[in-house]
Amino acid sequence: MTAEQLVDQGLQLADQDFRKAYWDYQRLLEIIDDPTPSKIKIFKQCLTEVNQKYPGSRSKASKADKALLTLYDNLIPVITALEPQYCHYTNGPLEGINRKIKQIQRTAYGYRNFEHLKARIYLQTYLGKDTRSSVKTA
């Protein structure tokens, strides 16, 4: 069996809410991969329909619908992030630095002085150092 056949078989066994959540998720992934205006318009309509489904209280919404309602509440920033001039930005380098700092904190557990811990972080992550000036030219 292929992965697609397994997913189809699982979706046949699942309830209606799960199927809807799965296809909403797939639609969102497709928009992130290729944010064309027509796809974004369809997704906005989907979010608007979910919002209209719970006019008074959102507490009765399913977890999948609550996720879509959160996207609806933050629609302008989400659509802005999908625009071509912004979609190439990533927080990967920052997450790498955060991971390195957490590892230093675990390794250096027991530092009495916060300044020593801070100095260790600066030394190991090159924070505060202009790495461009240290590149040697041939």
Side-chain angles (χ1 to χ4, degrees), residues 9-24:
Q9 193 173 37
L11 287 174
Q12 288 174 358
L13 297 173
D15 63 340
Q16 184 63 30
D17 288 338
F18 183 83
R19 265 183 258 144
K20 183 187 174 308
Y22 175 79
W23 290 114
D24 287 340

Side-chain angles (χ1 to χ4, degrees), residues 31-95:
I31 291 169
I32 290 171
D33 285 342
D34 184 27
T36 61
S38 60
K39 290 178 185 177
I40 291 173
K41 183 179 177 184
I42 292 169
F43 194 68
K44 279 184 188 179
Q45 289 173 345
C46 174
L47 295 178
T48 305
E49 289 171 9
V50 171
N51 187 48
Q52 291 171 351
K53 201 162 119 178
Y54 304 100
S57 175
R58 293 180 171 186
S59 62
K60 296 178 183 177
S62 67
K63 289 182 180 183
D65 283 347
K66 284 183 181 180
L68 292 175
L69 290 169
T70 302
L71 284 174
Y72 179 80
D73 291 341
N74 300 299
L75 190 60
I76 294 172
V78 169
I79 299 302
T80 303
L82 292 173
E83 290 178 4
Q85 67 259 28
Y86 300 117
C87 66
H88 65 276
Y89 290 114
T90 178
N91 65 341
L94 183 62
E95 291 296 329

